[in-house]
Amino acid sequence: MMDLQKIYGDCWGGEAGEWNTSLQNKYLEYMFARFLEENFVIQKDDHILNIGIGAGYWDRYLSYKVPDGSLTSIDIDRSCADNFAACLKNESNNTVEVLCADAITYDFGKKFDLVTMVGSAVAESCKTDAIIKKAILVLKDTGALYLQILHKDADFDIDRFCQENKASITDRFIDDTYDIHSEYYRIVKL
């Protein structure tokens, strides 16, 4: 019981709680799902990889999209991985493989129908090119990458990156609602 109380406190206490309950965060959560629903076709037996667990809300959402498939969630931060694994255990949601590792160097041993990176996963990696290259590398030939980049000061040139890495942006949406700059992309291999 103590572990679940700590997890709850980590997600809802102090600074995290103020952000997690803010209108801006709720809007971003909605937009994550909206862009996915409008731009991706997910089959119930697909295999999904999510890079960057954070509080685990996005991963939970994805886990219910593939009842006959799989979701692998990876985060380099031990507390994020452990907290999410504990929440899944409490919910009896055993459809998710939770990994604590560096997604850039980890050998997944398989390819995925969909790879997602939303929220601060890209910015926090501090290795934008490398982490997006890895995401594309682990895609099946018919798969797609859902990439969402936050912040106006992101100096990453996604068009240049795709051109240099044999990938193509098939859908994009840029949003500045609530003064939060968000870029949403659907990327496929060429």
Side-chain angles (χ1 to χ4, degrees):
M1 183 67 134
M2 197 60 139
D3 288 338
L4 291 177
Q5 289 174 339
K6 180 184 178 332
I7 292 165
Y8 184 81
D10 288 347
C11 291
W12 299 106
E15 185 179 317
E18 186 175 330
W19 168 251
N20 286 339
T21 58
S22 70
L23 183 58
Q24 293 89 344
N25 182 57
K26 296 303 174 195
Y27 177 75
L28 282 175
E29 288 177 6
Y30 163 74
M31 289 306 297
F32 293 164
R34 178 179 167 189
F35 189 80
L36 180 82
E37 297 292 337
E38 291 178 356
N39 297 286
F40 295 83
V41 175
I42 299 175
Q43 305 298 322
K44 65 181 186 173
D45 61 347
D46 277 353
H47 299 283
I48 299 175
L49 169 64
N50 181 55
I51 299 173
I53 296 170
Y57 306 121
W58 179 247
D59 304 78
R60 240 186 236 100
Y61 172 79
L62 291 172
S63 75
Y64 292 104
K65 293 288 185 186
V66 286
D68 300 326
S70 69
L71 171 64
T72 302
S73 296
I74 187 169
D75 201 299
I76 199 167
D77 184 290
R78 169 65 59 195
S79 64
C80 288
D82 289 349
N83 286 348
F84 183 54
C87 287
L88 291 172
K89 182 178 179 183
N90 185 54
E91 297 168 4
S92 297
N93 182 342
N94 53 5
T95 61
V96 183
E97 177 184 19
V98 180
L99 304 171
C100 180
D102 183 344
I104 296 169
T105 59
Y106 189 80
D107 179 7
F108 292 97
K110 64 180 176 181
K111 301 280 185 168
F112 297 91
D113 299 291
L114 174 65
V115 176
T116 68
M117 286 190 294
V118 301
S120 58
V122 173
E124 289 176 0
S125 76
C126 298
K127 299 175 184 174
T128 304
D129 278 20
I131 199 163
I132 298 173
K133 279 181 188 176
K134 180 63 176 260
I136 292 170
L137 178 69
V138 298
L139 278 176
K140 291 180 180 177
D141 289 341
T142 58
L145 168 62
Y146 176 3
L147 176 66
Q148 190 260 354
I149 299 175
L150 286 172
H151 309 297
K152 287 182 182 178
D153 57 352
D155 59 357
F156 182 67
D157 185 340
I158 189 72
D159 294 299
R160 174 201 51 82
F161 174 87
C162 287
Q163 188 175 43
E164 292 174 359
N165 290 280
K166 298 182 177 130
S168 176
I169 298 168
T170 59
D171 296 285
R172 78 171 72 206
F173 177 69
I174 297 175
D175 187 16
D176 289 304
T177 304
Y178 298 114
D179 295 322
I180 298 174
H181 182 79
S182 299
E183 300 174 12
Y184 301 82
Y185 299 97
R186 181 180 187 277
I187 300 170
V188 297
K189 291 180 177 184
L190 290 177

